[in-house]
Amino acid sequence: KKAYCEGELDKAEDKVKELELSLKDSETAIDKMKGDIAKLAEDITALEAGIKSLDKSVAEATQQRKEENAEHKELMASDGTAKEVLLWAKNRLNRF
């Protein structure tokens, strides 16, 4: 009976040690995951800042293209007017 109890006690102690190691491994994994989560949160924050910066750049570029387009349209309109004036002058000169 004593030998059986000692055997069971050894098994129980081995099981306790196994569970303690498993617990330590789990705690280590949890700590690593917390670190990974913190790193990912930093990455997300950096990416959000990058997206905001990109959105601002796109808005500025769009505004610049609109201004350039308006200038181009104005130039084309004045070129058309100049062509008409030159054509009128040419026709007037051809009458002489």
Side-chain angles (χ1 to χ4, degrees):
K1 218 172 177 181
K2 183 177 179 184
Y4 173 78
C5 288
E6 287 175 354
E8 290 299 311
L9 188 59
D10 285 343
K11 286 181 188 178
E13 288 174 354
D14 290 343
K15 185 71 172 171
V16 167
K17 287 180 184 178
E18 182 182 322
L19 290 173
E20 286 174 348
L21 287 174
S22 177
L23 180 63
K24 286 181 184 178
D25 290 343
S26 295
E27 288 172 348
T28 303
I30 288 170
D31 289 341
K32 183 184 180 307
M33 288 180 193
K34 285 180 180 178
D36 292 345
I37 289 170
K39 175 69 172 122
L40 289 173
E42 289 174 10
D43 291 347
I44 289 170
T45 302
L47 289 172
E48 286 174 343
I51 289 169
K52 287 179 183 177
S53 174
L54 184 61
D55 285 345
K56 182 180 177 186
S57 296
V58 168
E60 289 171 355
T62 300
Q63 183 61 33
Q64 181 181 356
R65 282 192 302 276
K66 286 180 180 180
E67 291 169 2
E68 289 172 354
N69 186 32
E71 290 174 7
H72 177 72
K73 286 180 179 180
E74 184 180 325
L75 178 65
M76 288 293 118
S78 65
D79 282 355
T81 304
K83 285 180 184 178
E84 289 177 16
V85 169
L86 288 173
L87 187 59
W88 177 79
K90 180 181 173 184
N91 286 336
R92 193 80 157 149
L93 287 173
N94 283 336
R95 288 186 186 170
F96 288 113

